[in-house]
Amino acid sequence: MLDIGGDIGAVVARLDDDQEGTELPILAMDDPDWDPATHTGVWRRTIGTRSVVVAVYPELRHGRYRITVPYGRTADFAVTGGSVTELDLRTCSD
């Protein structure tokens, strides 16, 4: 369950299966006071009838963010209050 609304949104990032059990760091690009050690766990979840590996950031303030993806990649994106941003960060999409 996500508690979003007003200027608070959420992010669900899909990752490769081999990332299960790791941690995924995130940086708020618009907040100079953001703790650069902020991260979330990457876990397998059931969505409908499918099992997927995802990282969920349940409450993020409206703004620009950067996730450091495994293998040295980064992903920049925006969070909009009241909505869920979905990212596909897998190296190969099915």
Side-chain angles (χ1 to χ4, degrees):
M1 180 173 292
L2 301 173
D3 186 13
I4 61 174
D7 67 345
I8 302 298
V11 172
V12 176
R14 185 154 179 201
L15 295 145
D16 293 314
D17 287 350
D18 67 346
Q19 295 305 304
E20 183 177 7
T22 64
E23 296 178 344
L24 194 62
I26 188 169
L27 176 67
M29 296 170 65
D30 299 327
D31 184 351
D33 297 324
W34 183 267
D35 181 353
T38 301
H39 63 278
T40 194
V42 178
W43 300 108
R44 183 170 301 280
R45 298 174 189 262
T46 301
I47 300 175
T49 60
R50 297 184 70 194
S51 174
V52 295
V53 173
V54 296
V56 178
Y57 299 93
E59 294 181 32
L60 295 175
R61 191 165 308 282
H62 174 88
R64 296 178 311 125
Y65 292 84
R66 174 174 291 150
I67 288 177
T68 302
V69 185
Y71 316 116
R73 298 179 298 138
T74 59
D76 293 353
F77 59 92
V79 170
T80 302
S83 67
V84 177
T85 301
E86 294 185 42
L87 304 171
D88 188 342
L89 304 177
R90 295 174 294 167
T91 53
C92 292
S93 299
D94 56 13

